[in-house]
Amino acid sequence: MNGYRKPLTTEDMWPLEAHNMASNCVQQFNKHWRPVTENKIKAPVNILPPILRTYGPSLALNSMLKLLSTLLTLSQPVILDRLITFLTASDQSVAEPDWIGYTYALLLFACPVLASVLDAQHGYWSNVIGLRIRTSITSILYEKAVKLSSNGRKDITAGDLVNLVSTDMKSIMFFLSFYHTLWVSPLKLLVSIGLLWAQLGAASLAGVIFMVIIVPINTYKTAIQGRLWTELRKLRGGRVSAITEILNHIKVLKLYAWEQCFIDKVTALRDREVDVLNQTFRSTVWTTFMFNSIGIVISIIIKKMNVYLNANEVNESFVDHKPNQRTPIVVKNGSFKWDNNCNDSVLKNINIEIERQSLVAVVGRVGAGKSSLLSAL
């Protein structure tokens, strides 16, 4: 409501947690960064080791959340298979107790819920850790900017610094959101192949062969996409540098009437940048399409699914759906058998009328046909 009554100010915002403040993030990072800079005479500076020493434990714990979430997700088809096996057990003498079935049903509900909670926590902490890393790196970049000598500034333009602070920081944030795919994807792939083999046998090899074929194609397209993003960053840096040069010498440009010349230069850089951006987006569309459609394609080429879809169905001409308020369930002279290949019917000459809201008990000895009657209904 405060934003409705008056413009919001910094005083209206809730206080930031101490360990997420920029001063604390930089202080923790500098504990590992300062020794590296003090030793730069002996060895070139590498920013990665201080980042890993500072935030490595947090990233490891966050990875454990993703691992647990992945295992819970992969357990769902196994639990579903056990539940279906429990419900369709034909030999009642060796059937598992009822509490086993209830446990399977409870796990089938609890596993995706818990996996969703862990996924949300993983995404939250990925963003938090990413912002802490971004804060630490941005701090040392600006600190470096004020310490550069004339010789150091010779090869580093303002556009390079802008790219480091904006585009490269976004790349780091993007990596921290998806770094887990480096180990989650192979795990999911191996477990999925194992589950498919257990359920479908040799029929699952068609999907495996398709994945083996498509992986090199996607790897090639991803490499092209990476080169395009690298070229895009260079072009963006060149454009920013040109605009900075124009703004710094705008009086000279007007004095010598060089405005159009520099406008053409910036426009040419921007046109090239847009062209590379279009190529990048087309490559991204291909990668996204393959990522979302590979599961569908694999399912289509598995023969077992086609066998299932071609299985016999109930002859709807034998069933009437006329509304009846008094007796909604009626069977007249019904004969039923489990398979068309059976010579004789399991149930013969069945006549039943079940009234609405009535309680009906089917009673009989073992093997008399109680389950068969319920299945027929």
Side-chain angles (χ1 to χ4, degrees), residues 246 258-271:
I246 291 173
W258 288 346
E259 298 98 323
Q260 190 59 46
C261 178
F262 277 83
I263 290 175
D264 293 341
K265 179 181 179 181
V266 173
T267 303
L269 290 171
R270 180 57 180 165
D271 289 342

Side-chain angles (χ1 to χ4, degrees), residues 143-213:
E143 183 180 351
K144 182 68 174 180
V146 298
K147 292 181 178 179
L148 282 176
S149 63
S150 300
N151 187 42
R153 295 177 186 275
K154 181 174 60 176
D155 299 324
I156 301 176
T157 64
D160 294 331
L161 179 59
V162 171
N163 269 340
L164 288 173
V165 175
S166 59
T167 306
D168 291 348
M169 288 297 103
K170 291 179 181 177
S171 300
I172 292 175
M173 294 292 291
F174 181 81
F175 171 78
L176 291 173
S177 299
F178 295 98
Y179 73 94
H180 57 270
T181 57
L182 294 173
W183 55 269
V184 169
S185 295
L187 175 63
K188 286 184 175 180
L189 181 62
L190 293 175
V191 174
S192 299
I193 292 174
L195 293 175
L196 285 173
W197 181 267
Q199 294 293 329
L200 306 178
S204 62
L205 290 177
V208 175
I209 293 172
F210 176 78
M211 285 189 289
V212 170
I213 294 174

Side-chain angles (χ1 to χ4, degrees), residues 52 54-64 125 129 132 179:
L52 293 179
T54 307
Y55 301 104
S58 300
L59 291 172
L61 290 175
N62 198 34
S63 297
M64 291 300 299
W125 285 108
I129 297 171
R132 293 175 183 175
Y179 73 94

Side-chain angles (χ1 to χ4, degrees), residues 24 69 76 88 90 92 120 128 153 210 219 225 241 260 293 301 328-329 332 349 368 372:
N24 289 340
S69 170
Q76 294 173 35
T88 57
S90 57
Q92 298 296 325
V128 170
R153 295 177 186 275
F210 176 78
T219 302
Q225 191 174 337
S241 298
Q260 190 59 46
S293 63
I301 65 177
I329 300 177
K332 292 183 179 180
N349 301 322
S372 299

